[in-house]
Every structure is written in structure tokens, then in C-alpha cells.
Amino acid sequence: MKRYTAAVVGVGRIGWTLGFDKKREQPASHVMALKGNRRVKLIAGVDNDKKALALFKRKNPLVRAYSSVEELFQNCAPDIVVVAVNESSHLNVALDVLSRSPKLVILEKPVALNLKEAGKIKSAAKKYGVPILVNHERRFAFDYKAASEYIAKIGALQMISAKLFSGMKLYDPEAEESGAYSLLHDGTHLVDIVLFLLESLGGGEKARSRSLLKNPVLTGICLDGKNRKIIRELCAHYSCKQCPEVSLFMSGRSRFFGFEIDVLGTEGRVCIGNGYAKFYRRFESSLYTGFYSLSRDKSVVIPKKTGYFSNMVQNAVDFLDGRRPLKSTLQTGINALAVLEEIKAALVK
């Protein structure tokens, strides 16, 4: 059995420590997901934070620990390199890793702070011939896979409503260099999964080659009460070939975190979000004679575990084996970023 070696650059939350969150479905970090796949051998962790690296080394005595990408490649040549650093460091670290020509790079979302930086990563990936898998995790989850397949059963789409709720500022122009705002940090997930569901309606690779959402109309813009440059809430409306009404509602003034998608067709409905997935079909109504109503379709069975992280690593292995294409590519990640950039551009008009 062939095994692939792997290294994780950035052993912070998503890189490693979320693997200890008892409330999350595990594995919930790159280190834990890689270690959980029998086809992968984790050989190194990299971080320039001395405390984080020391803790990683103490907890993973059989895995090497390095303080830089340069030091990593001076000592080993991993097949898979995960880039799990902060958004502000994505570009420099990704370019450094790509120049070493590993077999595959797994890049944390969002691809970069902006499209200009994403373009540089794309050029480097092409130059060095390195494929990139972007960790937009819901593309790998069983529940969202079931949702994408069920959409074909609910007739012509009438509306997609996607909502994100958090307490983190939605957009702050002064945070552009750090990426510390929800439109980028969390909005990339919301946009990407809507694009994923739209892609499932057909078009193949062509549908994945560009953003399907363009020219947003913004409504409901809510400014911060103290700093009027900060956006706390907005709704972006789109119309596209696949669906006449797509709305992305994002709030950065909620006192809870929420993520939900509602897809309404002429003959059914899909409601999916964090911790739930519900599927509805048109049946003869039990309430009104001569009418039809939507009723829960209980024939859809989803595993208790969505497998979002473990499935991502398995996709990487299958790709390297030559058995499967990547489910989340650099281009699909760039597509999501393009939607977010258009929203930002519309905000500052």
C-alpha cells in the first residue's frame, strides 16, 4: 500500500488545535485528519510561533517540527503540504511552498486576501505544476453532497436564500491587510457552498471555471453604530441562469453564530445548515382537499458524521492515486473570492 507523506504549515486552530474541541465533529483539523488516514504519514509540522511549535512537538513526538518552510524542505520533501496560516500570510507562504514543487498543496480558505494575490498563487501553481486543493470543507460533507443531489428532484429552482450570522464585523476597510472581517473569513464558505449547489445543476467543469454569481444588488446595509466605515449587515441579490433569485444575507451584529441555506424549487425544498439537513417533496396535502403540500422526505438518510475533514483528505489521496478529480480547486476558491470582491466594490461606490 503506497503512503503519501504530509506536512502542515501552521499548527494553530485549523491546522491542529481544533482537533481537541470536544463539541466539534472530529477530525476538525488538518493534523488530525491527516493522521486519521491510513494512506497518509504526517512527517512534519511548521510554525514560526515558538510556543505553538513547542506544544505541537511535545504532543507529537514522532513528527518533526520546523520553524520555517525553508527548514522543512532542507530536511524532507513531503508529498502533501498544507498551508494553514492566517489569511494575511497565505500569499507568501503559498508561493514559498509552491516553489518547492510538492505533489499537492492543500490551501486553507479563503484562497487569499484578494483576487490580485490569488492570481499570483494561480500563476505560481501553473509555473511549478503543482495542483491545489482548497479546504472549502462543505464540498466534502455528506450532508451537502446529499443536498446537491436532491436539488435535481425539486423541480425548477425559484429561490436560494443563504444566511450567515455572527458577531464579527462584516467588513472593515482598515482590516484589508489582515483579513479579520467576516465577509472574507466566513462569507467565503457561504458563497462557495451556494456556487457548489448551483454547479450541481449541470454545466460540468465549465460551471466551475468561473463565478456563476455576478453584478450584485445590495440592500439592507447596516453600519456600525460607532464607526460608520464598518459594515455590520447586508444582503446581496443575484439572478442567474440556474436560479432567478439568489440572496446572500450576512450579519455581523448577531449574538450567535449561524449558517443556513434554503433552496426552494417548484416541487420541493432543501433546508441545510450547521447541524441539520431537511429535505421536502410535493405530496398530496393532508390539510386541504385538491391541494398539494411540501412534506418531509424521510427516505433521505444522512450519516451522523458529515465526514467534512476526513473526506477532504481522502479526496487528496484519491487525486494523487489518479482515481478522482479534486472536489474543491484553486479556481472554485477564486470564484468565491470574486463574488466577495464584487460585494466590497459595490459597498464603496
Side-chain angles (χ1 to χ4, degrees):
M1 178 183 68
K2 179 178 176 56
R3 298 187 75 189
Y4 297 104
T5 57
V8 176
V9 182
V11 291
R13 281 169 53 80
I14 196 66
W16 178 45
T17 61
L18 287 182
F20 299 103
D21 187 336
K22 294 182 179 180
K23 290 186 177 181
R24 291 176 186 257
E25 178 188 317
Q26 294 295 335
S29 70
H30 289 282
V31 167
M32 300 307 193
L34 291 166
K35 292 177 75 172
N37 191 299
R38 63 191 184 95
R39 295 286 309 284
V40 178
K41 181 181 180 181
L42 181 67
I43 61 172
V46 181
D47 207 299
N48 59 11
D49 184 317
K50 293 182 179 179
K51 289 185 178 179
L53 192 63
L55 179 61
F56 175 81
K57 188 173 182 179
R58 187 165 68 250
K59 294 288 187 178
N60 299 276
L62 300 180
V63 180
R64 300 173 187 177
Y66 302 110
S67 60
S68 68
V69 171
E70 182 178 4
E71 187 182 6
L72 166 68
F73 281 93
Q74 283 176 348
N75 291 276
C76 52
D79 299 314
I80 302 169
V81 180
V82 176
V83 176
V85 297
N86 292 335
E87 287 94 336
S88 57
S89 300
H90 270 210
L91 176 61
N92 290 337
V93 173
L95 294 182
D96 196 358
V97 169
L98 289 168
S99 70
R100 319 283 177 158
S101 298
K103 291 181 179 178
L104 176 69
V105 166
I106 297 176
L107 181 62
E108 253 307 312
K109 64 79 198 170
V111 170
L113 289 174
N114 50 59
L115 283 175
K116 183 177 179 180
E117 291 191 358
K120 292 179 180 179
I121 293 174
K122 183 176 181 179
S123 296
K126 182 178 180 180
K127 176 181 178 180
Y128 296 108
V130 180
I132 296 179
L133 184 161
V134 176
N135 188 33
H136 273 124
E137 58 193 39
R138 288 170 179 81
R139 285 181 179 257
F140 304 98
F142 289 128
D143 51 353
Y144 282 93
K145 179 177 183 293
S148 69
E149 294 171 348
Y150 199 82
I151 286 176
K153 302 178 182 180
I154 66 173
L157 291 197
Q158 300 183 83
M159 178 187 71
I160 296 178
S161 175
K163 299 176 182 178
L164 168 68
F165 310 93
S166 83
M168 184 181 186
K169 55 191 175 185
L170 188 61
Y171 177 64
D172 181 356
E174 295 183 2
E176 284 281 6
E177 293 184 2
S178 68
Y181 56 94
S182 188
L183 181 65
L184 181 68
H185 188 74
D186 301 306
T188 184
H189 278 306
L190 193 74
V191 170
D192 179 72
I193 203 59
V194 170
L195 292 176
F196 170 70
L197 295 176
L198 291 173
E199 290 163 17
S200 71
L201 296 172
E205 195 58 37
K206 184 177 180 181
R208 291 158 53 95
S209 66
R210 54 187 169 76
S211 173
L212 298 174
L213 300 178
K214 294 181 179 294
N215 303 317
V217 175
L218 302 189
T219 62
I221 298 173
C222 180
L223 305 180
D224 186 82
K226 296 180 179 179
N227 186 341
R228 307 299 283 179
K229 293 182 180 180
I230 295 175
I231 309 297
R232 284 290 177 181
E233 190 172 280
L234 64 80
C235 189
H237 301 268
Y238 300 86
S239 184
C240 62
K241 179 180 179 182
Q242 293 81 1
C243 184
E245 169 63 21
V246 178
S247 64
L248 308 175
F249 174 82
M250 291 178 268
S251 170
R253 65 190 186 105
S254 302
R255 298 180 65 185
F256 60 92
F257 183 78
F259 189 103
E260 59 187 49
I261 313 287
D262 187 352
V263 184
L264 180 66
T266 54
E267 297 184 27
R269 186 178 189 180
V270 174
C271 301
I272 186 168
N274 290 352
Y276 70 92
K278 300 176 182 179
F279 303 82
Y280 300 87
R281 289 288 299 279
R282 170 182 177 270
F283 293 101
E284 187 173 342
S285 179
S286 61
L287 302 173
Y288 312 105
T289 300
F291 283 80
Y292 287 84
S293 299
L294 294 183
S295 298
R296 186 84 174 267
D297 187 345
K298 297 181 180 179
S299 68
V300 182
V301 179
I302 300 173
K304 290 184 178 180
K305 279 198 168 188
T306 68
Y308 68 101
F309 232 121
S310 54
N311 288 347
M312 184 274 290
V313 172
Q314 187 59 50
N315 182 227
V317 170
D318 291 342
F319 172 78
L320 291 174
D321 283 346
R323 298 176 57 241
R324 298 283 190 277
L326 294 177
K327 293 182 179 180
S328 182
T329 66
L330 179 61
Q331 186 58 53
T332 60
I334 289 175
N335 293 345
L337 197 57
V339 173
L340 299 176
E341 290 245 319
E342 272 204 329
I343 291 174
K344 287 195 295 182
L347 283 172
V348 298
K349 278 185 177 179

